[in-house]
């Protein structure tokens, strides 16, 4: 049989050009018996790793059943690219070896670097291509009209790459193919670039033509009816069998034969890229392993100082370290640990708080290297499995850094390794259901209304498509042809890559030049460069990735520790905060057990808060469980209640076991002991798969991957069947088996391994400790770290005040930019929080710094402040709006009245737009210090007196909170009349269970957790506290509009109490939002008619946070 | 001075709905359900105007459209057209010249959703201010426009009252501005947003709080705008209104002794009116490109007939012919009632028109041909009706029978399509492909001989195949792929044949058709 290699394959990583996944191409090419397939996307290598991964799978599958002596026959995979110059010269380029590949990567990188941060195509010229001709095989794609310029270039390229240049011919079915191929053959002979057969494949099979047409329309921004000759006339751009190709090129059999020559000449494969870890931080003369061992043991000495450990490093720890080091040596991962250590050491030297997590992070080595703070001596974590020996996958350590200082770390990494060797990995943005249906609908010429209606029905249903019922519900006709086509095509489009974006912080580091490994592009953000491959690709190739992530809580903790040091003289770090063995830990656990956790890391959410009183954490490991248990995995697997019952001793600990003939009864005890027989962590689920369902580590890994992407592909059920079948066969209780798998599914997207939970638990403990012992410090620190977490400043301040902290308002004479601590009004040990200028929206930090510098002993008047501090009138008006002139005895109106005059009396230049940005010079600097308001007398105007309610409303607008009163208190009288009780009253124990009550308040939070199907959780707040509302699906559907849009809401429902947890199960609602406007207009009730638009009250003054 | 202020709340919505009444669409907007007009803005479309049902859903001007759709299910959306709004407002304002020649549509400062009438000394013509206001309100109602009206001594005060007074129609007696305005919110002063919010923040929420206060402190704190607007409203400062006048450059009117109602009579009068216009048109060297005939009914109603011309003209009989056509189409729309008491003809668009001395130049530059073509089309259309004359335009489609489109001819087409060289297409494409019996090799060999219309032909030469797949988006039925061949028989006739259906992939029994003939 004739042999043929398809060398022109465009995948869907040539965005909106190819209509098949690289994997599909490889599978079909192999099935057709092609000798080789060359993946060549447009100026890119973005899709080759996926093809490579698929190719490896096929090879492994075939290798299994292979008889000895039998030859392994798979399609060969060639890695190439289709270079397209700015003036339209197109050439398929295949590097023969690693060096040539590197040159190509550099070329594309260079083209990308011309982009200047803008999203455009890679800019290359013909000369660029000539410059990298060494070691490449070129297959030039002829244009429709063969010009003399083209011929010249073809000749030039054939000269430069003698014997390695070819001219591509494809059978186009345009009627004149015989003549055209003849001409090309002749041209090839004349120029020394002989004809080679290709089929210019854009999709794997002819059935993809419709989708190919649609992506063309999306690319050309037109509808299918307008697309005209942008579309191909036929469906011939698919992979064809060698027989078909030979028939089409029967007049040019040598063009078919050359494809094989080319395939044989290309020796480069992606295997050549592996394991190029940098060894920068290793001092000369040492091996990385030696260096790591030295660092580890030195770190161990610091971690276990002689003062506390006269015996030296505890024997248990020493043993673990030795085991881990041996494993690291075996796997040759020393460079990885050293590199992470290097980054973390930099952060520590800059006093940037950080903490590692990830599969390898909770090792004793990482503790000694100060990457993590989980002490192996006191923690029960099992470390040996932190690296899967079998998988040969690189270790994974994610490091969280303080949110606002992460950029410094990133720039350090760039600086240390250079732009050529460090870059962020990509995130492939895929078409999701909504976007797919919208763009397909547009391409098919459906009206936006119809596509909007369709995309709405898609919402929530993922790969399972669109049942007719849903379409009918959207008011559309499911028998409509265009509609059906749209739905069908959209389903095909889902999962297609759309564009590359940059990953949040995954750095790829290499020993050699990174731009010789993969093309690098510029990110939308300045100073960011990223590569074309995403983290799955990186995993496949085994490149080294270090995740540099940002975490707001770390910023908050650093600020808290600093404040404690400054004001109370304690010098703690995350590692040295008093732990379980210290008496100060007890009140911390007591506090958490009462669900008193507003602002505390991870456990401040509604779900966590209702779990805390049930779990009653008493020690650190309880926090690890607390963090892990309120997650989709355990909830979906129905693991929560069994765990709680066993913990409370209601139910005995019990370990499911197989029937005795298959294995020891306690095979799962080892896995599940720490969690009382209930799997709560991701690795436990995997361990069950391996131990109880006898998955090979490879299968378990496949399962994990299938889970992580189960929305994209549907092969989960294969694992499911296998998992359930094997475990039931081995005699496990089917209910247990089912719930185990349910949990694995839940882990899929929100996986929470024990090591992550442990790292997070430490932050839970640290934040809770500060909040418990120094609520004022915690309040200031968390306000200074906003935005973060679950709650608004208003709730954080309220919580602090309820814990006896005095909070003082922002004042021009006392505040700093950040919130600060100062002596309380009534004296006493506990300091008060002074709100900082940062609470006022729209202020410029530098300008306020100037004001603070110029303040001296304080300002006596608005005029003096303006003259001396040189701040803009905009800023002064903002300060007045926030009521920050009280120390001058001016309320916001008086201050604003004074501020408005500043321009006229020459202290400030007339306000221009954005003047606050640059205009900070006073026009009369010499006169300024002597100037005073007395110089400019004017008639007294008595300003209308301001109601308290109005002050409160204005406080909310300017700063998001008010210390004067709660907005709802002004409605109490009226609320009382409609039978509403306060939230404080609704917590009274005398109220009977199930009583029908009405509470009202501002809507703080709306939540629609994915695990609670269709149920909405509301949190409302009045002047006495908060109430938690549950809205069941049916009620929600009836009141959707009110529930989703109200800012001020009265809820009538049944009281439900379980221990400390109180809910109101809603039955009816009353939207009171419009009354909020009355706060600002308390003294006037407008006579304006409904149709005249009255001055719209600023309802945005109260924002809720919505979580979906 | 006495000024009428007419405020048309939700003018863009009203305008859209009235336009919809005139030109019904397939999917009309239901005014009883939420409806918004959207305008493009940075960050996606936003609401530019909305109707009352939409307001009830809590939507507001400026909301992002996406949010609005989420809030109000089944929200009806159309694109806001401010230019059309402006034009319509101007048009309506011109209509109001029936009350006074001094009319002024509101600029953006005033909201661009109403107009002023200066009726100083004119109210008595209508029986006093009350009657005038009632008449105006009644007529606007008749147009489907619910307006809010006010009469006051100054434009500022009238504007304020029409917008903020609870009554639909208010007349403020002369000289009582201070009292009338005092209780209105400061927004009634037409202030910039910055001034407005600052005043509110300072606690000045009603105009009354500003009147009689010392002026200097306010002058020191606000741009001149505040005091100017206050003075304008109170009549302490003048506010000249930008009046518009109708621009009938060429216009003639006939008042008839006896009302007429037959089409012939109307045409006769119209022809005379056009003759009146010939002189001024010649004088200015222009011809009419668009004309408007206004028919004023005895009961005060007006009908309008607009005609457009392909080339400028001054020929009364040509105009009469076109009018005749137009009136015939419109007879069911134009109700003569008790007859028309007067007719007016206005040139609404004029274009320079030069006497042609020689056609030589135009032959050279090709405009001669275009002109002749235009004349031919004009004439054919006058005789056969506008839709009977069609021209053909090439369409981008691979499918031969879809590659052209016939559409009503317009005489203005300057360029005529040139044939596509890249694709070999027959001179004659058969209206329907005709089956033929063909001998050819499988799977995709060219025809060797074929029988068509009873005649057996041996193929001497052939070229192909050109493979054209069905346009899947036109039908959900499977459309087989075609392989086209150009073939020449022994006698030298050339045919365009295709095989329908690909072997193996689509069919095992391909059929053949003749689709066209070459010369």
């Amino acid at each position: 049989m004739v042999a043929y290699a398809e060398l022109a394959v465009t995948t869907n990583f040539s965005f909106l050009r190819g209509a098949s996944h690289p994997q599909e191409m490889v599978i079909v090419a192999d099935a057709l018996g092609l000798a080789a397939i060359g993946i060549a996307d447009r100026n890119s290598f973005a899709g080759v790793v996926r093809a490579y991964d698929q190719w490896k799978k096929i090879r492994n599958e075939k290798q299994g059943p292979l008889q000895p002596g039998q030859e392994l026959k798979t399609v060969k995979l060639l890695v190439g690219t289709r270079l397209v110059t700015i003036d339209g010269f197109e050439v398929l380029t295949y590097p023969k070896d690693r060096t040539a590949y590197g040159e190509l990567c550099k070329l594309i990188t260079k083209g990308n670097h011309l982009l200047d941060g803008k999203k455009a195509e890679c800019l290359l010229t013909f000369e660029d291509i000539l410059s990298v001709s060494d070691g490449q095989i070129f297959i030039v794609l002829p244009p429709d009209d063969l010009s003399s310029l083209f011929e010249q270039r073809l000749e030039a390229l054939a000269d430069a790459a003698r014997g390695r240049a070819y001219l591509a011919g494809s059978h186009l079915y345009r009627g004149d193919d015989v003549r055209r191929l003849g001409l090309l053959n002749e041209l090839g002979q004349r120029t020394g670039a002989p004809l080679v057969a290709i089929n210019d494949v854009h999709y794997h099979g002819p059935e993809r033509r419709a989708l190919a047409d649609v992506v063309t329309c999306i690319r050309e921004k037109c509808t299918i009816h307008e697309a005209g000759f942008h579309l191909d006339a036929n469906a011939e751009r698919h992979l064809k069998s060698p027989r078909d190709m030979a028939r089409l090129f029967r007049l040019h059999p040598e063009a078919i034969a050359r494809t094989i020559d080319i395939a044989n000449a290309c020796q480069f494969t992606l295997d050549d890229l592996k394991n190029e870890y940098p060894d920068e931080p290793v001092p000369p003369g040492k091996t990385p392993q030696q260096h790591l061992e030295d660092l580890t043991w030195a770190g161990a000495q610091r971690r276990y100082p002689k003062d506390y450990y006269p015996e030296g490093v505890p024997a248990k720890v020493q043993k673990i370290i030795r085991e881990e080091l041996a494993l690291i040596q075996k796997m040759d991962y020393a460079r990885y640990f050293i590199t992470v250590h290097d980054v973390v050491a930099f952060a520590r030297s800059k006093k940037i708080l950080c903490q590692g997590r990830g599969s390898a992070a909770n090792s004793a080595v990482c503790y000694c290297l100060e990457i993590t703070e989980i002490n192996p001596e006191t923690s029960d974590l099992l470390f040996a499995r932190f690296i899967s020996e079998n998988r040969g996958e690189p270790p994974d350590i994610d490091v969280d850094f303080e949110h606002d200082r992460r950029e410094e770390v990133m720039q350090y990494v760039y600086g240390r390794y250079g732009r050529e060797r460090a870059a962020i990995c990509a995130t492939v943005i895929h078409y999701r259901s909504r976007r797919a249906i919208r763009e397909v609908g547009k391409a098919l010429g459906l009206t936006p209304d119809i596509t909007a209606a369709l995309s709405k029905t898609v919402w929530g249903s993922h790969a399972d498509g669109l049942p007719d019922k849903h379409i009918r519900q959207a008011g559309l006709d499911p028998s409509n042809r265009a509609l059906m086509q749209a739905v069908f095509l959209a389903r095909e489009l889902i999962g297609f890559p759309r564009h590359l974006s940059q990953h949040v912080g995954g750095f790829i580091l290499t020993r050699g030049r990174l731009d010789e490994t993969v093309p690098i592009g510029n990110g939308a953000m300045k100073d960011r460069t990223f590569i074309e491959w995403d983290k799955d690709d990186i995993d496949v190739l085994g490149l080294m990735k270090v995740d540099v992530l940002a975490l707001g809580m770390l910023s908050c903790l650093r600020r808290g520790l600093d404040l404690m040091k400054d004001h109370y003289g304690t010098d703690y770090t995350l590692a040295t905060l008093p732990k379980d063995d210290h008496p100060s830990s007890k009140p911390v656990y007591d506090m958490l057990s009462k669900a008193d956790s507003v602002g505390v890391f991870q456990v401040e959410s509604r779900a966590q808060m209702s779990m805390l009183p049930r779990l009653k954490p008493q020690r650190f490991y309880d926090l690890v469980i607390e963090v892990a248990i309120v997650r989709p995995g355990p909830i979906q697997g129905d693991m929560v209640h069994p765990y709680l019952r066993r913990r409370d001793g209601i139910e005995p600990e019990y370990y499911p076991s197989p029937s005795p003939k298959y294995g020891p009864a306690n095979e799962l005890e080892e896995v599940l002991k720490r969690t009382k027989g209930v799997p709560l962590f991701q690795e436990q689920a995997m361990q069950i798969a391996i131990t109880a369902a006898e998955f090979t580590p490879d299968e378990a890994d496949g399962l994990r991957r299938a889970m992580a992407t189960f929305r994209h592909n549907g092969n989960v059920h294969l694992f499911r069947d296998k998992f359930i079948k094997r475990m039931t066969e081995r005699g496990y209780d089917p209910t247990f088996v089912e719930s185990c798998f349910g949990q694995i599914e839940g882990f899929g997207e929100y996986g929470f391994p024990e090591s992550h939970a442990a790292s997070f638990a430490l932050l839970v403990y640290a934040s809770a400790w500060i909040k418990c012992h120094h609520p004022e410090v915690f309040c200031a620190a968390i306000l200074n770290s906003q935005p973060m977490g679950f709650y608004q400043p208003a709730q954080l301040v309220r919580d602090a005040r309820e814990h006896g902290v005095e909070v003082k308002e922002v004042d021009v004479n006392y505040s700093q930019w950040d919130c600060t601590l100062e002596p309380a009004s009534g004296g006493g040990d506990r300091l008060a929080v002074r709100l900082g200028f940062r609470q006022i929206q729209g202020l410029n930090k530098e300008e306020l710094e100037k004001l603070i510098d110029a303040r001296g002993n304080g300002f006596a008047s608005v005029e003096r402040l303006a003259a001396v501090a040189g701040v803009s009138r905009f800023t002064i008006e903002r300060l007045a709006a926030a009521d920050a002139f009280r120390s001058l005895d001016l309320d916001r109106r008086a201050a604003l009245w004074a501020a408005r005059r500043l321009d006229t009396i020459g202290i400030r230049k007339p306000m221009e737009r954005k003047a606050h940005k640059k205009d900070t010079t006073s026009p009369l600097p010499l006169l300024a210090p002597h100037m005073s308001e007395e110089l400019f007398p004017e008639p007294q105007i008595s300003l209308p007196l301001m109601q308290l309610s109005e002050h409160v409303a204005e406080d909310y607008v300017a700063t998001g909170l008010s210390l004067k009163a709660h907005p709802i208190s002004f409605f109490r009288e009226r609320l009382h009349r409609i039978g509403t009780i306060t939230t404080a009253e609704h917590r009274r124990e005398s109220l009977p269970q199930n009583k029908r009550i009405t509470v009202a308040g501002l809507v703080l939070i709306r939540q629609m957790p994915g695990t609670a199907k269709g149920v909405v959780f509301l949190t409302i707040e009045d002047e006495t506290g908060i109430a938690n509302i549950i809205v069941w699906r049916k009620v929600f559907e009836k009141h959707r509009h009110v529930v989703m849009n109200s800012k001020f809401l009265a809820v009538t429902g049944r009281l439900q109490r379980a221990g400390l947890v109180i809910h109101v199960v809603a039955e009816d609602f009353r939207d009171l939002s419009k009354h909020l406007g009355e706060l600002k207009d308390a003294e006037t009730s407008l006579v304006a008619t409904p149709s005249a638009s009255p001055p719209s009250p600023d309802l945005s003054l109260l924002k809720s946070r919505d979580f979906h | 001075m006495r000024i009428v202020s007419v405020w048309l709340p939700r003018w863009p919505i009203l305008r859209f709905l009235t336009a919809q009444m005139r030109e019904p669409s397939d999917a009309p907007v239901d005014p009883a359900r939420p409806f918004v007009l959207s305008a493009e803005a940075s960050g996606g479309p936003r609401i530019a105007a909305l109707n009352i049902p939409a307001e009830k859903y809590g939507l507001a001007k400026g909301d992002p459209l996406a949010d609005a759709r989420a809030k109000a299910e089944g929200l009806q959306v159309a694109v806001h057209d401010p230019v059309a709004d402006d034009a319509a407002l101007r048009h309506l304002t011109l209509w109001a010249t029936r009350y006074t020649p001094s009319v002024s549509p509101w600029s953006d400062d005033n909201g661009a959703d109403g107009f002023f009438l200066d009726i100083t000394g004119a109210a008595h013509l209508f029986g006093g201010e009350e009657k005038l206001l009632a008449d105006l309100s009644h007529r606007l109602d008749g147009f489907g426009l619910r307006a809010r009206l006010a009469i006051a001594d100054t434009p500022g005060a009238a504007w304020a009252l029409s917008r903020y007074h609870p009554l639909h129609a208010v007349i403020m007696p002369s000289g009582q501005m201070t009292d009338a305005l005092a209780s209105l919110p400061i927004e009634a002063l037409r202030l910039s947003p910055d001034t407005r919010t600052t005043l509110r923040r300072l606690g000045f929420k009603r105009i009354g709080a500003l009147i009689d206060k010392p002026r200097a402190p306010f002058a020191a704190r606000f741009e001149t705008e505040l005091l100017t607007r206050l003075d304008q409203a109170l009549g302490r400062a003048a506010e000249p209104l930008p009046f518009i006048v109708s621009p009938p450059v060429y216009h003639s009117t006939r008042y008839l002794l006896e009302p007429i109602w037959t089409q012939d009579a109307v045409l006769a009068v119209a022809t005379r009116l056009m003759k009146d216009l010939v002189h001024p048109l010649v004088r200015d060297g222009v011809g009419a490109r668009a004309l408007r005939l206004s028919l004023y009914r005895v009961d005060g109603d007006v009908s309008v007939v607009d005609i457009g011309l392909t080339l400028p003209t001054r020929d009364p009989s040509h105009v009469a012919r076109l009018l005749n056509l137009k009136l015939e189409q419109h007879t069911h729309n134009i109700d003569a009632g008790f007859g028309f008491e007067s007719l007016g003809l206005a040139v609404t668009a004029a274009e320079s028109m030069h006497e042609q001395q020689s056609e030589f130049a135009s032959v050279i530059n090709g405009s001669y041909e275009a002109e002749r073509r235009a004349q031919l089309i004009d004439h054919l259309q006058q005789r056969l009706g506008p839709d009977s004359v069609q021209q053909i335009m090439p369409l981008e489609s691979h499918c031969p029978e879809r590659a052209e489109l016939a559409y009503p001819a317009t005489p203005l087409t300057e360029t005529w399509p040139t044939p596509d060289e890249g694709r070999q297409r027959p001179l004659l494409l058969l209206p329907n492909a005709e089956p033929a019996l063909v001998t050819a090799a499988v799977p995709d060999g060219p025809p060797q001989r074929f029988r068509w219309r009873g005649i057996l032909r041996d193929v001497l030469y052939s070229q192909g195949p050109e493979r054209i797949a069905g346009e899947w988006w036109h039908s959900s039925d499977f459309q087989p792929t075609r392989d086209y061949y150009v073939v020449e028989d022994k006698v030298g006739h050339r045919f365009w044949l295709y095989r329908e259906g690909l072997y193996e992939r689509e069919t095992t029994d391909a059929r053949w058709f003749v689709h066209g003939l070459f010369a």
Side-chain angles (χ1 to χ4, degrees), chain A residues 532-799:
Chain A
E532 288 182 352
W533 293 333
D534 78 353
K535 68 182 203 329
D536 292 342
D537 298 336
I538 297 308
D539 278 358
V540 169
L541 296 178
L543 294 179
M544 183 168 96
K545 172 165 139 277
V546 179
D547 271 330
V548 176
L549 303 170
L551 195 61
M553 183 44 86
L554 285 170
S555 300
C556 172
L557 287 175
R558 200 246 312 145
R559 291 190 166 103
L561 295 173
D562 287 353
L563 282 171
M564 279 161 59
K565 187 174 168 188
D566 292 349
H567 292 280
Y568 299 103
T570 55
D571 192 4
Y572 289 121
T573 65
L574 282 186
T576 61
L577 269 180
K579 292 287 156 54
D580 288 11
D581 49 6
H582 192 272
S584 74
S585 72
K586 179 149 190 338
V588 177
Y589 289 114
D590 289 350
M591 178 185 89
L592 289 175
S593 297
K594 283 187 298 185
D596 181 2
S597 63
V598 169
V600 176
F601 186 64
Q602 281 281 316
V603 297
E604 58 173 346
S605 76
R606 175 88 172 262
Q608 292 279 5
M609 275 196 185
S610 51
M611 182 61 64
L612 282 168
R614 292 152 79 184
L615 195 72
K616 295 188 202 66
Q618 296 304 320
R619 57 197 186 100
F620 181 72
Y621 196 74
D622 292 343
L623 294 182
V624 180
I625 287 174
E626 169 76 34
V627 166
I629 202 168
V630 187
R631 311 277 319 167
I635 293 173
Q636 262 171 21
D638 199 21
M639 299 297 184
V640 177
H641 294 285
Y643 178 82
L644 289 176
R645 281 198 300 272
R646 289 176 195 193
R647 217 193 96 104
D648 296 349
I650 303 171
E651 180 183 301
E653 273 179 44
Y654 157 76
Y655 296 92
S657 46
S659 98
K661 59 179 179 226
Y662 289 109
N666 66 346
E667 67 175 22
L668 285 185
E669 196 170 335
E670 183 63 26
V671 179
L672 299 175
K673 183 125 195 67
R674 281 159 300 137
T675 52
K676 304 196 184 296
V678 180
L680 295 177
F681 301 113
Q682 195 180 36
E683 45 296 53
Q684 286 178 318
M686 291 302 134
Q687 209 62 40
I688 292 173
I690 292 171
T691 311
E694 295 187 319
F695 274 42
T696 64
D698 266 347
E699 280 175 325
D701 189 44
L703 171 64
R704 186 181 59 84
R705 282 164 183 274
M707 291 305 163
T709 53
F710 83 101
R711 289 196 169 179
H712 302 304
N713 61 35
N715 59 9
V716 175
H717 64 274
L718 298 177
F719 289 105
R720 184 193 170 90
D721 296 347
K722 204 186 273 181
F723 184 92
I724 289 175
K725 187 161 155 275
R726 290 213 196 138
M727 267 182 87
T728 347
E729 270 174 11
R730 296 186 70 240
Y732 276 96
D733 173 20
T735 336
F736 174 74
V737 176
E738 283 284 344
S739 62
C740 272
F741 199 82
Q743 187 186 357
I744 291 176
E745 278 183 321
F747 280 141
E749 259 175 289
Y750 312 96
F752 229 85
E754 187 173 6
S755 53
H756 268 64
S759 288
F760 275 4
L762 187 73
L763 301 185
V764 174
Y765 181 79
S767 53
W769 194 94
I770 299 177
K771 179 179 158 71
C772 178
H773 293 287
H774 297 287
E776 69 290 351
V777 168
F778 188 69
C779 176
I782 199 167
L783 286 176
N784 291 341
S785 309
Q786 290 295 306
M788 63 166 280
F790 227 58
Y791 296 93
Q792 304 267 352
Q795 284 78 55
L796 296 169
V797 165
R798 173 202 190 105
D799 184 66

Side-chain angles (χ1 to χ4, degrees), chain B residues 267 270-272 274-275 278 281 287-291 306-327 345 353 371 374-383 411:
Chain B
L267 275 180
T271 313
R272 260 184 285 152
M274 186 63 204
K275 280 181 182 156
V278 170
L281 289 174
R289 277 294 308 274
L291 289 149
D306 285 309
I307 57 169
L309 295 108
T310 13
L311 293 169
T313 189
R314 295 170 197 144
D315 180 359
S317 54
H318 189 53
V319 170
R321 265 204 308 277
L322 295 178
L323 271 174
N324 192 18
L325 273 172
K326 218 33 192 235
L327 284 170
L345 185 69
M353 178 177 167
E371 216 169 280
Q375 246 170 38
L376 176 68
I377 292 172
D378 242 356
H379 282 139
L380 287 172
Q381 280 180 336
Q382 302 299 340
R383 198 162 295 175

Side-chain angles (χ1 to χ4, degrees), chain A residues 229 231 481 897 904 950 1086, chain B residues 205-206 220-221 396 473:
Chain A
F229 297 144
L231 306 178
R481 173 185 45 81
W897 184 249
T904 318
E950 208 174 347
L1086 288 177
Chain B
K205 297 176 182 178
R206 306 258 158 222
R221 283 166 176 87
E396 281 201 7
W473 56 95

